Amino acid sequence: MSTVSRTAVALAALSALALTACGPTGDDAAGGTGTPSASASATAGPSPSGSASPAKSATPTAKPAKSAGSPGASTPGDPDFDVFPCSTFDVTFTASLAEPTTSSYLLKITNKGTKACRVLGHPVVTFGALDGQATERGTAPGIEDAIRLEPGKSAYAGLMGGVVDGTGKTVDSIAMTMNTESDLAQTPLKASTPGLHVSSTKNSVTPWMDNAEDALSL
């Protein structure tokens, strides 16, 4: 072989060795355990707690809507949902003689405020300086059917006195507080009742009604 041929063969062999040294190893070419490239994402590494940080979603999580029965949920379909029971702070009070023979009086309250309130149950009536109070006569409607007393409107109750028969006592005034179904402290409202005879068998009072006729006929 000539000198030129030998030189060409030697150069070809050296080129082949150089290409083999620069190419990927067998493990790298097969996706094996070769050294990872420097372009791997830094976010793929472990979080400070040692576990991979989950990717945050770009879509905000929707909050569940309140149901009608949950606390704080308003019920705009119910016109009375924010109407509170009437107290003596909400009304004015009068008593007028309705039946002299039985010394019975018509009790009247009028909403003096700017908002409606509910009239619950029976009035609580006491007699001057005497102990005790009038007993309840008749059944009052439940809170769902209670009178809604608009500003300037009135409700009525009938207070039955007693026949003067030599027993009991006569008083010239009564005091009234409202049933609020709570422990709200109220200032009693007073009304003049000249000659009201308080029977020894106790006097009685009707529930509040929306008209005077029903209050006196019960």
Side-chain angles (χ1 to χ4, degrees):
M1 180 180 294
S2 67
T3 303
V4 174
S5 299
R6 285 196 299 271
T7 301
V9 170
L11 288 173
L14 288 172
S15 298
L17 288 173
L19 290 172
T20 302
C22 294
T25 64
D27 287 340
D28 292 341
T33 59
T35 304
S37 66
S39 63
S41 173
T43 59
S47 66
S49 61
S51 60
S53 300
K56 293 184 178 180
S57 170
T59 305
T61 304
K63 294 182 180 180
K66 287 183 178 181
S67 64
S70 64
S74 62
T75 54
D78 178 5
D80 292 336
F81 80 101
D82 62 346
V83 178
F84 296 97
C86 302
S87 73
T88 56
F89 301 107
D90 303 310
V91 300
T92 59
F93 173 59
T94 61
S96 55
L97 184 62
E99 176 52 61
T101 304
T102 59
S103 189
S104 296
Y105 279 79
L106 176 67
L107 311 184
K108 176 183 177 182
I109 55 171
T110 302
N111 185 347
K112 67 179 182 179
T114 59
K115 294 180 63 177
C117 60
R118 295 178 189 264
V119 182
L120 303 183
H122 296 69
V124 180
V125 178
T126 56
F127 303 100
L130 301 181
D131 293 331
Q133 63 187 51
T135 59
E136 296 179 354
R137 183 169 83 254
T139 303
I143 189 170
E144 299 84 1
D145 301 316
I147 298 170
R148 178 188 173 104
L149 199 64
E150 299 289 346
K153 298 299 182 181
S154 301
Y156 307 85
L159 176 64
M160 181 173 287
V163 178
V164 178
D165 57 3
T167 65
K169 295 183 179 180
T170 299
V171 297
D172 292 329
S173 67
I174 58 174
M176 185 277 299
T177 55
M178 302 289 293
N179 178 0
T180 62
E181 294 191 352
S182 71
D183 57 359
L184 174 69
Q186 300 178 68
T187 300
L189 299 179
K190 295 183 178 181
S192 176
T193 54
L196 173 62
H197 186 71
V198 181
S199 172
S200 58
T201 58
K202 295 183 180 180
N203 299 63
S204 61
V205 65
T206 70
W208 292 110
M209 300 183 181
D210 59 7
N211 66 88
E213 184 177 355
D214 288 346
L216 293 174
S217 61
L218 181 61

